[in-house]
Amino acid sequence: MKEITLLGATGSIGTSSLQVLRLHQDEFHLHAAAACSSVDKMLAIAREFKPHRLAMFDKDSAKKLRQQCLDENLDCEVLEGEEGVIEIAGDGEAAQVIDAIVGAAGLKPVLAAVKTGCEIGLANKEALVMSGRLFFDEVKKYNAKVLPIDSEHSAIFQCLPGGLQRTLGFCDLEKYGVKNILLTGSGGPFRTTPLDELENVTAAQALAHPVWSMGPKITIDSSTMMNKGLEFIEASYLFNAPGETIKILIHPQSFIHSMVAFKDGAIMAQLGQPDMRTPIARALGYPERLESGVNLLDFVQAGQFSFVAPDFNRYPCLKLAIAASKMGQGATTTINAANEVAVEAFLKAQIGYMDISRVCAEVLEKTKHDNIYNLEEIFQADSVARECARKVIGNF
Ligand code: NDP
Ligand code: MG
């Protein structure tokens, strides 16, 4: 029985992960799960999957959940607060810890998991964007193993030769003849919207993604292509890839999840339905292949595949994230934090859609970007950027 800990168990990736686990109850057991405040969903998880431990970031929610577990005689410890989430992530009982928490909140828990030397199923791209170098130094130090869940990075991982799959964070791409990483993206719901209409886009419009069904933050990020920008940074750390080797390609049908181009002219692609259960199953079962519940892609039904280069006037966030990637970890932490604050403000209708990129640009411009490395410096840069973003928003 392989013990799994699932951080962010009540979200979109968390729910898809549970769907895959449900298909393999003889092989996997959910050791522990964490969420922020979704008590009802956590109770349902406790009933069905019988985990040993649960943690809720929100302390009141933890108290409610603890009482309900007691009332139902569920033999399950409930921890609370950030410490509780970090404790279950790092208790060393799981063979694999999946980090599907959204945003910067996933960083400390996943680093605690890394220290146990387990497998890390990594969906939480923001953690890597903030700490890439430190994260992989820790992975090496504690002999942990990273299995990407972000669909593009899972695709790239699957296209890479075994020697590179085993050295994530330190890949020698040149040695294996890798010339380019082709990171694909759908282009989001506003790929063809006239540019002058973008200012007036509402949260409801931006939340309706044409292909993927995901949590609210990443859905907005997908529409601005900040998501692809964060993925660019994520890929640069995961595959030790210099910026100029990563090419971004818009592929609206989202059947090709990304590609790797080699120096002899060969290009490997990973294809499939746009369904996160496939990359989740790849991570959970690695090196074995698992049933995921996803049907095979029908090429005749899928029809035409098309590709177009991204237009930076339409997607200024993408341009900013690529620029931040070149500046280093101080800048990637900064843009990630500024974007989190801006997206939250946009969802609350405090700023307009195109203001998201304006906030990020202004925060990047107004803050200093030293080449930060340790956790303290990372969280310092994160909080400076958040404060600056709030001020910028206040002045709109
Ligand atoms: P959701 O918003 O759907 O879910 C977020 C999860 O994180 C919820 O379980 C939430 O709990 C939990 N959470 C939030 N804050 C905390 C905290 N402080 N401590 C513990 N748990 C917390 O997000 P998604 O599932 O869409 O995305 C999760 C991550 O995966 C993101 O980093 C995203 O970029 C990445 N990703 C997502 C994809 C997708 O298809 N959705 C694809 C590729 C990557 P609660 O329900 O209680 O609020
Ligand atoms: Mg992705």
Side-chain angles (χ1 to χ4, degrees), residues 8-14 34-38 56-57 85 100-103 105 123-126 150-151 213-216 218 276:
T10 53
S12 164
I13 294 286
C36 181
S37 58
S38 299
M56 304 226 65
F57 181 84
V85 177
I101 293 177
V102 62
N124 177 217
K125 66 193 78 183
E126 296 91 343
D150 204 350
S151 59
S213 152
M214 310 175 285
I218 183 175
M276 291 307 294

Side-chain angles (χ1 to χ4, degrees), residues 125 149-153 184 212 214 218 227-228 231 234 276:
K125 66 193 78 183
I149 287 182
D150 204 350
S151 59
E152 296 76 4
H153 305 76
T184 56
W212 297 93
M214 310 175 285
I218 183 175
N227 182 50
K228 213 47 58 186
E231 290 180 352
E234 185 186 12
M276 291 307 294

